[in-house]
Amino acid sequence: MHFIRLRKIWYIISLLVIIPGLISLMVQGLNLGIEFTGGNLLEVRFENPVPVEKVRQVVSDQGLEFSRGIQKSGTSDYLIRTRHLTKEEQDKLMVALVSLGKYTVLRNESIGPTIGRELTTGALLALLIASVLMIIYISIRFEFKQGIAAVIALIYNTLVVTGVFSLFQIEVDGAFVAALLTIIGYSINDTIVIFDRIRENMLHRKKGESLEDIVNASLWQTLTRSINTVLTVVFVLVALYFLGGSTIRNFILALLIGVVSGVYSSICNAASLWVDFKLMEKRPRAKEAGA
C-alpha cells in the first residue's frame, strides 16, 4: 500500500470522523463539570469505612450527583462535587450523610463561575502555547512546513477527542484538559520519529526518486514501531479503564481515543500534509521556469 498516494482518502476519512463532533460542539457543546461551570465541593471523612456505592446513592437521592461527582480518597475520605447548593440543600445533604455513619467535614467550598472561566482560559492558553512551542521546535530541528503539518495533525486529535465527548455528552473536567495535553505530547513524539526518518532518507535520495516514494518508504520503515508502541499503551489504558475505577474512567477514555487517533494522524495526516505543502511550493517555481 502506498500511503501517500492514498492521502486524499485519508483526508476524507479524517473529515468524516471530525464533522459529526464539530456539529455536536456547535449544537449542544460540551458537558462541562463544576470546574468550568462552578458548583460546590464537599470533602468528608467517615469514622468507619463506607462503600462508595452507598455514598453515591445518598447523594443521588438528593438529585445532586454529577456523572463523576464522587471521588474516594483513602479508606473513608470522599470528595463530593455538586452543582451550586443553597444553604437549605447543603443542610439536607449533611443530614443525609449522617445515615452512613459519623463523619467530619474536611472542606466545604463553592467554586464560582469566575474560577470556571479562568480554568477555561488557562486550558486554551496551555494548548496554544504547546502548539507554538512545537512549531518552533520542529522548525529548528526539521523545517517550518513540517511544524505546521504536525500541529494540524495535533489539532485533528484534539477535535476527535472533544467531538466524541460532545457527541455522547461525557462530562468534561480538569482531568480532560490534562488528557488533551498528554495526547499532544504523545502524538508529537510519533510524528517526530516519522519526520526524522524522512529527513534521513532525503539525504540518501536516489536520482529520479519522487518525494511521495521517499515519504512512503519512511512510513513503512517506522510503521512497526508506531503500531507496537500504540498497542502497548492501548493495552494498559484498556486495563485501567475497566479496572481503575470510575474516578479516572473519563480521563482514561480521553487518552484511549487520543492515542489511537494520534497514531493514525501521525502516519496518514502529518506526513501527507507535508508532502502537499512541498508540492505546492514547487508548482509556482515550475510556472516561473515555464514563463
Side-chain angles (χ1 to χ4, degrees):
M1 182 173 66
H2 202 295
F3 285 101
I4 302 305
R5 289 177 186 167
L6 296 174
R7 60 187 181 275
K8 290 183 179 179
I9 295 177
W10 309 138
Y11 296 157
I12 292 172
I13 292 173
S14 299
L15 288 174
L16 291 176
V17 169
I18 64 172
I19 284 175
L22 291 174
I23 294 174
S24 178
L25 285 168
M26 290 185 289
V27 173
Q28 60 182 357
L30 292 168
N31 178 19
L32 299 175
I34 65 170
E35 289 93 338
F36 295 97
T37 61
N40 278 72
L41 283 174
L42 175 64
E43 186 173 7
V44 297
R45 173 176 294 165
F46 289 93
E47 289 187 3
N48 299 309
V50 177
V52 65
E53 292 80 11
K54 290 187 177 181
V55 179
R56 185 172 286 112
Q57 185 61 49
V58 168
V59 177
S60 181
D61 289 343
Q62 305 299 312
L64 303 176
E65 186 187 3
F66 279 74
S67 61
R68 288 185 67 252
I70 310 297
Q71 282 186 316
K72 186 175 181 180
S73 175
T75 58
S76 57
D77 290 5
Y78 289 91
L79 184 62
I80 302 171
R81 293 181 172 91
T82 69
R83 56 174 170 77
H84 277 296
L85 302 180
T86 63
K87 183 66 169 62
E88 182 180 351
E89 288 174 325
Q90 289 187 46
D91 293 340
K92 287 178 63 178
L93 178 59
M94 298 286 193
V95 172
L97 289 173
V98 172
S99 64
L100 300 176
K102 293 183 179 180
Y103 67 89
T104 303
V105 176
L106 303 178
R107 180 167 44 153
N108 187 5
E109 300 175 354
S110 177
I111 300 176
T114 301
I115 296 176
R117 285 195 296 269
E118 289 177 356
L119 182 57
T120 303
T121 302
L124 294 174
L125 185 60
L127 292 173
L128 178 61
I129 292 173
S131 299
V132 171
L133 291 176
M134 287 177 187
I135 291 176
I136 294 172
Y137 170 73
I138 296 174
S139 298
I140 293 173
R141 183 172 176 181
F142 301 104
E143 63 175 78
F144 178 71
K145 290 184 178 64
Q146 286 180 320
I148 297 298
V151 169
I152 292 174
L154 293 178
I155 293 172
Y156 166 79
N157 296 338
T158 58
L159 289 176
V160 170
V161 178
T162 54
V164 170
F165 270 62
S166 175
L167 277 170
F168 297 98
Q169 286 297 285
I170 304 170
E171 186 179 317
V172 170
D173 55 15
F176 178 79
V177 178
L180 287 182
L181 292 173
T182 304
I183 291 165
I184 288 175
Y186 176 86
S187 300
I188 198 66
N189 176 66
D190 203 28
T191 303
I192 287 175
V193 169
I194 293 172
F195 283 163
D196 190 57
R197 181 55 59 91
I198 291 172
R199 180 179 61 180
E200 291 179 8
N201 290 337
M202 290 288 287
L203 294 174
H204 302 91
R205 186 176 188 176
K206 298 177 183 178
K207 186 176 181 180
E209 190 175 14
S210 68
L211 180 64
E212 290 98 329
D213 289 339
I214 293 175
V215 175
N216 184 66
S218 303
L219 289 172
W220 276 107
Q221 290 166 7
T222 57
L223 187 63
T224 301
R225 174 207 174 273
S226 298
I227 293 176
N228 288 341
T229 302
V230 75
L231 283 178
T232 56
V233 175
V234 166
F235 292 154
V236 174
L237 292 177
V238 169
L240 284 173
Y241 181 80
F242 289 105
L243 303 175
S246 60
T247 302
I248 62 171
R249 186 159 293 161
N250 288 352
F251 173 71
I252 297 300
L253 178 62
L255 287 179
L256 191 57
I257 296 169
V259 165
V260 174
S261 171
V263 72
Y264 167 81
S265 64
S266 295
I267 295 171
C268 299
N269 289 341
S272 297
L273 285 168
W274 178 71
V275 169
D276 280 328
F277 291 158
K278 295 294 287 185
L279 294 177
M280 289 169 60
E281 180 185 67
K282 291 180 179 180
R283 284 169 194 154
R285 294 179 182 176
K287 290 181 180 178
E288 291 175 6

